[in-house]
Amino acid sequence: MTREIVFEGLKEILANVKPKLDQTDISFDSKLLGDLGIDSLSMLLLSLAAETKFNMRFAADTTFDTVGDVCDYIVRATNQ
């Protein structure tokens, strides 16, 4: 799975988790907390939706700073 495919899927998930978020404001460099306002509940919802959509699991101790970090993790997890 490519980074771009994962990115498009994450944008859809983020739009569902944060409905007021404009997808055009989301980039690989967008900070989850600062730029997108992702709080702990939103992160949980994002994680669960991403695990379902991409058929993978996040490690419990994994933390992410940017959307690109999440994309890269999912790409690695799905291409093993």
Side-chain angles (χ1 to χ4, degrees):
M1 188 167 302
T2 68
R3 193 174 195 235
E4 289 73 24
I5 290 172
V6 171
F7 178 66
E8 291 303 318
L10 280 177
K11 286 196 319 187
E12 291 173 17
I13 292 169
L14 285 163
N16 288 325
V17 170
K18 302 284 282 189
K20 294 182 180 182
L21 185 64
D22 184 352
Q23 287 190 35
T24 61
D25 292 337
I26 302 170
S27 72
F28 287 111
D29 296 324
S30 296
K31 297 206 179 286
L32 296 169
L33 180 62
D35 298 332
L36 304 180
I38 301 296
D39 57 17
S40 58
L41 178 57
S42 298
M43 184 56 85
L44 176 61
L45 296 173
L46 170 67
S47 298
L48 293 172
E51 286 180 345
T52 300
K53 182 172 189 74
F54 299 111
N55 194 31
M56 48 75 66
R57 294 284 176 246
F58 290 103
D61 60 347
T62 306
T63 59
F64 303 104
D65 186 40
T66 66
V67 172
D69 295 339
V70 180
C71 288
D72 293 339
Y73 184 95
I74 293 171
V75 168
R76 284 191 306 274
T78 58
N79 288 331
Q80 291 184 5

